[in-house]
């Protein structure tokens, strides 16, 4: 008897199809979580940058770094 392909049929085919659907759903959930983090991470970046510049100013005021080092580091942070 000749077997013709009918897509995902039989227990193995149905199991494979379920795995593909599950993997697709997991990918979509991961993409949504990534987008959510990317949108709301922006505020924390500005906050960290401000704190870093304040620390840099304190180090410059204490004489721990030169004016040239201060400017270079400040430019890297901005």
């Amino acid at each position: 008897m000749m077997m013709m392909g009918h897509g995902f049929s039989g227990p193995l085919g149905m199991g494979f199809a379920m795995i593909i659907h599950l993997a697709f759903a997991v990918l979509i959930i991961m993409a949504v979580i990534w987008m959510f983090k990317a949108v709301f991470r922006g505020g924390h970046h500005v906050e960290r940058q401000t704190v870093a510049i304040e620390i840099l100013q304190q180090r410059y005021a204490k004489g721990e770094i030169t004016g040239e080092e201060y400017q270079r580091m400040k430019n890297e942070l901005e």
Side-chain angles (χ1 to χ4, degrees):
M1 180 170 150
M2 189 168 187
M3 305 274 300
M4 308 265 301
H6 295 294
F8 295 119
S9 61
L12 291 178
M14 290 178 69
F16 184 70
M18 288 176 61
I19 290 172
I20 295 295
H21 283 76
L22 181 62
F24 186 71
V26 168
L27 285 175
I28 289 186
I29 291 169
M30 288 173 61
V32 168
I33 290 170
W34 178 80
M35 288 175 22
F36 184 78
K37 284 183 174 183
V39 167
F40 290 103
R41 188 180 311 151
H44 295 294
H45 175 70
V46 172
E47 191 175 298
R48 284 189 303 233
Q49 181 181 12
T50 302
V51 170
I53 290 175
E54 289 173 3
I55 292 170
L56 189 60
Q57 289 170 342
Q58 291 171 358
R59 289 186 63 198
Y60 178 64
K62 290 178 185 178
E64 294 176 1
I65 57 175
T66 66
E68 184 179 302
E69 290 172 319
Y70 171 80
Q71 286 299 325
R72 181 182 52 81
M73 290 183 211
K74 185 178 175 192
N75 288 338
E76 288 176 5
L77 291 171
E78 295 173 336

